[in-house]
Amino acid sequence: MVTRKDSPTKSPGISPGITLLFALVGGAGVGNLYWAQPLLGAIASDLGIASGTAGLLVTLAQVGYALGVFFIVPLGDTINRKRLIPAIMVCCSLSLAGCVLAPSFALLLSTLALVGFTNVAGQMLLPLAGDLATNAQRSRVLGTVASGLLSGILLSRLVSGVVADIFGWRMIYVFASGTILVLAFIMWRAIPVLAPRERIPYGKLLYSVLQVAARYPRARVLPLFGAPLMCVFTAFWTGLTLLLTAPPFSLPASHIGLVSLLGVLGVIGARFTGRVYDRGWAVPAIGLGLVLTLTAIALAGFGSSSIVAVLVSVSLLSVGAQSVLVLLQTMMVSIDPAARSRLNTAHIVSNFIGGALGSTLAALLWQVGQWGAIMSCSALVIVLALTLWLYQRDRTLALTRRRPANSAPQLKRCRSHKARALDASQRPSPALLSRRGWSALRR
């Protein structure tokens, strides 16, 4: 029997090369939302608007992204992703090209919202990677791809700053448009042929996003950590751009981009979240990450006039916030393999609603109390998240703890010492037990 070349075959897993490609494409995609972040001063000067108002560029891109994730990403659970992912990447490339031609701030806002809406390929790649990976690979693969998404946020600031200083801020969108177009062709060639999925009417599919998110207790709780953390993360970086462009620092865009290199420490830390999850350390790791984030905010708030304090706070925030964000996303898409795209949709939409709120608050609070007001609000948000973690760590969050697959079945001792729960293969024969002892075991 001859197998057609384009027929789906059972995958033995996902290769390291494809995993890294997914991480690269996801990072390049998410980076499109943040090209403008270190360029707010340059864009404001060119278009004749206030620096605080320019912060709305990041907000509209994130709002568009949240809408795109909700309306497009669920299609990954029903439409052939080998065609869907490259197609949406081509649409994103065209939207980025529109930013180059936008003559006014209003048109640039609209075009960046469209960029965000079409810039969701990375969020379809994460569930796809989970589907392709074997059980032994899955946590590590998801951690790698999610780390790639976060690295795109950081490296986009560096690249946009350097390119803008040399060629002007519009040239970065020329570069981004061409890059996404090339990657779309590569993805069309690289994504394997997948087995067809059950067709679900579009309206029912969108409604099922809410149904799936409401069905599982963990799916309802995890966004309550992701959204506040993303709010603080975005507010910090939006406010940091405004801080570093103002006296006493007065740094150019390229130097502001260099500061984001310290965020690579967070990407390295997030790379190991798969191991943390597999070993059952997810719950304490979330708490530790929130504490590191709060420490970074306190240091940045009290040391705002010291570049050393600012750089150290950037490092701590990157490690703390990014590790928790990747861990939360890994936990979310592991809840139900049949609904990974929809679970990821619910998680990312809530995250980027928080992110849009963070960039908006940063723009508003900068005009009220500048950096100190932004850090005070951020600290309050993280304190609330830590309070929730303390309440949920032994409740819903505890359900996410996993026992390693190779661990031997363990005896669980009842506190009352009246019964023991044994693996079925370890239960002794009833003939060897007294009636009283066997009854205790059954209870």
Side-chain angles (χ1 to χ4, degrees):
M1 179 177 177
V2 178
T3 303
R4 291 179 55 188
K5 185 177 180 181
D6 60 346
S7 62
T9 57
K10 188 175 181 179
S11 173
I14 184 170
S15 68
I18 295 296
T19 301
L20 291 176
L21 176 62
F22 281 15
L24 173 64
V25 173
V30 174
N32 291 327
L33 303 175
Y34 297 96
W35 296 124
Q37 202 163 51
L39 309 178
L40 298 179
I43 294 175
S45 176
D46 185 39
L47 299 180
I49 58 174
S51 297
T53 304
L56 294 175
L57 293 170
V58 181
T59 300
L60 262 292
Q62 291 176 323
V63 170
Y65 187 72
L67 292 173
V69 168
F70 182 76
F71 287 104
I72 298 175
V73 171
L75 294 172
D77 279 341
T78 182
I79 292 181
N80 186 349
R81 286 169 286 184
K82 184 175 178 63
R83 298 176 181 176
L84 177 62
I85 291 174
I88 197 64
M89 292 177 70
V90 171
C91 293
C92 182
S93 176
L94 295 175
S95 302
L96 287 164
C99 294
V100 182
L101 306 174
S104 66
F105 179 69
L107 286 176
L108 183 60
L109 273 177
S110 303
T111 310
L112 278 176
L114 186 59
V115 168
F117 186 79
T118 57
N119 191 44
V120 296
Q123 296 304 335
M124 286 187 279
L125 288 174
L126 192 82
L128 175 58
D131 289 343
L132 295 175
T134 63
N135 290 335
Q137 291 178 316
R138 188 162 293 117
S139 296
R140 175 176 51 82
V141 168
L142 291 176
T144 300
V145 177
S147 298
L149 297 176
L150 285 176
S151 66
I153 298 175
L154 300 170
L155 295 179
S156 64
R157 300 186 182 101
L158 171 63
V159 174
S160 64
V162 173
V163 172
D165 274 357
I166 299 175
F167 301 106
W169 67 266
R170 292 183 188 269
M171 185 56 65
I172 189 61
Y173 291 102
V174 175
F175 168 79
S177 177
T179 300
I180 294 298
L181 192 61
V182 171
L183 288 175
F185 175 77
I186 295 174
M187 292 304 295
W188 177 67
R189 301 282 297 178
I191 296 176
V193 178
L194 303 169
R197 292 189 163 199
E198 178 186 359
R199 291 282 180 168
I200 304 175
Y202 184 63
K204 184 178 179 180
L205 182 67
L206 293 181
Y207 180 65
S208 70
V209 173
L210 303 178
Q211 285 183 314
V212 169
R215 183 184 307 160
Y216 301 99
R218 284 176 291 172
R220 297 194 297 267
V221 169
L222 292 177
L224 299 180
F225 295 95
L229 196 59
M230 194 67 179
C231 174
V232 169
F233 187 77
T234 307
F236 182 92
W237 280 102
T238 301
L240 185 65
T241 300
L242 301 174
L243 175 70
L244 295 179
T245 54
F249 301 112
S250 302
L251 297 180
S254 58
H255 291 183
I256 296 173
L258 287 173
V259 173
S260 67
L261 282 180
L262 293 172
V264 174
L265 296 174
V267 175
I268 295 172
R271 176 68 179 79
F272 296 99
T273 56
R275 298 181 186 179
V276 171
Y277 179 68
D278 280 337
R279 295 182 181 183
W281 299 341
V283 177
I286 291 173
L288 178 60
L290 291 174
V291 170
L292 281 177
T293 303
L294 184 60
T295 303
I297 291 170
L299 180 61
F302 289 112
S304 59
S305 60
S306 168
I307 189 63
V308 174
V310 170
L311 295 179
V312 173
S313 66
V314 168
S315 302
L316 291 176
L317 182 88
S318 298
V319 174
Q322 291 180 53
S323 297
V324 174
L325 287 171
V326 172
L327 186 57
L328 292 172
Q329 192 169 18
T330 302
M331 292 160 68
M332 190 70 162
V333 300
S334 300
I335 292 174
D336 183 357
R340 282 199 178 97
S341 290
R342 283 167 285 175
L343 286 167
N344 193 52
T345 294
H347 185 66
I348 295 302
V349 167
S350 63
N351 273 14
F352 275 84
I353 290 174
L357 180 62
S359 56
T360 303
L361 284 174
L364 294 175
L365 291 174
W366 180 263
Q367 298 177 6
V368 175
Q370 298 194 337
W371 182 248
I374 296 173
M375 290 300 97
S376 297
C377 182
S378 298
L380 177 61
V381 171
I382 295 300
V383 168
L384 292 175
L386 268 171
T387 303
L388 179 64
W389 175 82
L390 289 171
Y391 177 75
Q392 289 289 346
R393 59 177 179 168
D394 292 323
R395 292 176 174 82
T396 306
L397 284 181
L399 298 176
T400 62
R401 294 173 181 169
R402 297 177 57 188
R403 187 176 64 188
N406 59 353
S407 63
Q410 301 291 322
L411 298 180
K412 297 180 181 179
R413 180 171 298 175
C414 179
R415 290 185 179 182
S416 64
H417 300 288
K418 292 182 178 180
R420 292 175 182 270
L422 297 175
D423 182 84
S425 62
Q426 294 177 311
R427 285 181 179 172
S429 170
L432 300 179
L433 295 170
S434 66
R435 180 177 300 175
R436 180 179 178 184
W438 180 247
S439 299
L441 279 172
R442 295 186 64 181
R443 288 199 299 272

